[in-house]
Amino acid sequence: MNRWQTMFRGKKVIWICAAIVLLFFILALLAPWIAPHDPVKVNLLQKLKDPSADHWLGTDHLGRDNLSRLLYGARISIGFATMIFLSSLVIGLIVGSISGYLGGWIDNVLMRLCEGILAFPQLVLVLGIVGIFGPGLMQILLALMMVQWVHYARICRNMVVSLKERNFIAAARISGSSTWTIIRKHIIPNVQRPIVVMGTLEMGWAIMDISALSFLGLGIQPPNAEWGAMIHEGTGYIRSHPELMIYPGVAILLVVMTFNILGEALSDRYGISKK
């Protein structure tokens, strides 16, 4: 085991990453109270100002405060990624548990459905769904949720297939517990940890997907702030004011990297396979 593997398996890196993630969540939640300016208020007299005491990160091409837009952008990027994670996790747990525990034709139908969705590249499928329903943040939320739950369902199903042959499941079945009770009290609690660890890794991808689609103009619509949309708006000033792209880019990099390191550290510490 090399030095890097040892470092990433320690408790310290888990706590550091968890603290950074918590900090971003707190900043996103408190954005309306800690943002120094209105993130959508246009003031052309203040456009493209350098950092100052009034505007710590300067202003953009419309005179809007960059720091305020970053804070409000975190509410969109992190908040909607969390909604995608939680909704996909719930659907995946339910579908995977039912499929793995009941087996038979129900398992075949549900797994064929999952395989049909996985047959398409994720981004292509998301773009197709957005193309049907039109651009917008809620459409992206729906599209990503419809794609993400499949991964949780397949992993959950595979674990349930091995779990349902255990003695404690047989004992619960003999005692007269219903199928739903067994799934709720005995199956789901035993598959939560690997699924949550996987979800930590998927959070980074969800933030990347939201930002990428907003960069393409399919997500959040102007004048609302979102990190990917902020990068798109800054492309016209990449030579004169590259900081308009650097600020949101660094925010995306830091959050995604933190979630990935946290997920890797948790999976290594608890011996959970990421495949």
Side-chain angles (χ1 to χ4, degrees):
M1 186 186 302
N2 60 40
R3 179 171 63 89
W4 291 105
Q5 289 175 321
T6 302
M7 182 183 71
F8 284 117
R9 288 190 179 187
K11 286 184 179 179
K12 184 179 294 186
V13 69
I14 294 177
W15 284 109
I16 292 174
C17 290
I20 295 174
V21 169
L22 180 61
L23 175 62
F24 271 98
F25 271 100
I26 292 174
L27 291 175
L29 289 172
L30 299 181
W33 293 275
I34 63 178
H37 298 277
D38 186 340
V40 299
K41 184 178 180 180
V42 175
N43 184 356
L44 296 178
L45 297 177
Q46 296 290 324
K47 69 177 184 178
L48 300 175
K49 291 289 185 180
D50 294 328
S52 62
D54 191 34
H55 300 282
W56 289 7
L57 296 180
T59 61
D60 66 3
H61 61 295
L62 295 177
R64 299 171 298 190
D65 183 67
N66 287 324
L67 177 58
S68 300
R69 290 182 64 77
L70 280 176
L71 291 173
Y72 273 84
R75 293 172 66 86
I76 301 297
S77 298
I78 298 177
F80 274 81
T82 303
M83 292 176 63
I84 293 168
F85 161 62
L86 292 176
S87 56
S88 301
L89 176 64
V90 171
I91 296 173
L93 277 175
I94 294 174
V95 173
S97 298
I98 292 174
S99 178
Y101 185 77
L102 296 181
W105 69 269
I106 294 178
D107 181 34
N108 288 329
V109 170
L110 292 176
M111 289 302 102
R112 296 301 82 76
L113 173 63
C114 292
E115 291 171 1
I117 295 175
L118 290 173
F120 297 91
Q122 177 172 310
L123 185 58
V124 172
L125 187 57
V126 170
L127 288 174
I129 296 173
V130 173
I132 294 173
F133 294 103
L137 203 53
M138 293 306 299
Q139 289 85 331
I140 284 184
L141 175 64
L142 177 63
L144 290 174
M145 183 185 69
M146 292 173 64
V147 172
Q148 291 286 348
W149 71 268
V150 177
H151 303 285
Y152 299 103
R154 284 176 60 85
I155 291 180
C156 181
R157 180 260 181 192
N158 293 335
M159 289 188 293
V160 170
V161 168
S162 62
L163 277 174
K164 71 178 183 179
E165 304 300 331
R166 301 282 184 88
N167 291 334
F168 68 93
I169 299 295
R173 195 181 298 120
I174 293 172
S175 68
S177 298
S178 65
T179 298
W180 174 243
T181 300
I182 293 174
I183 292 175
R184 179 169 54 88
K185 290 187 175 181
H186 302 287
I187 297 292
I188 291 180
N190 281 283
V191 301
Q192 279 181 343
R193 180 182 287 179
I195 295 295
V196 170
V197 170
M198 176 188 171
T200 304
L201 294 166
E202 291 293 329
M203 274 287 293
W205 284 108
I207 293 173
M208 287 286 290
D209 289 339
I210 292 172
S211 299
L213 291 168
S214 293
F215 177 83
L216 295 173
L218 300 175
I220 189 85
Q221 299 300 307
N224 296 307
E226 194 277 331
W227 291 341
M230 290 174 66
I231 295 177
H232 174 73
E233 291 177 351
T235 55
Y237 303 87
I238 188 172
R239 294 183 180 275
S240 59
H241 293 275
E243 69 275 7
L244 298 182
M245 298 179 66
I246 292 174
Y247 293 149
V250 169
I252 294 172
L253 174 64
L254 181 58
V255 175
V256 172
M257 184 173 65
T258 302
F259 272 115
N260 287 344
I261 294 175
L262 178 60
E264 293 284 346
L266 289 172
S267 61
D268 285 341
R269 180 165 183 80
Y270 295 115
I272 297 171
S273 173
K274 300 178 284 295
K275 296 181 180 180

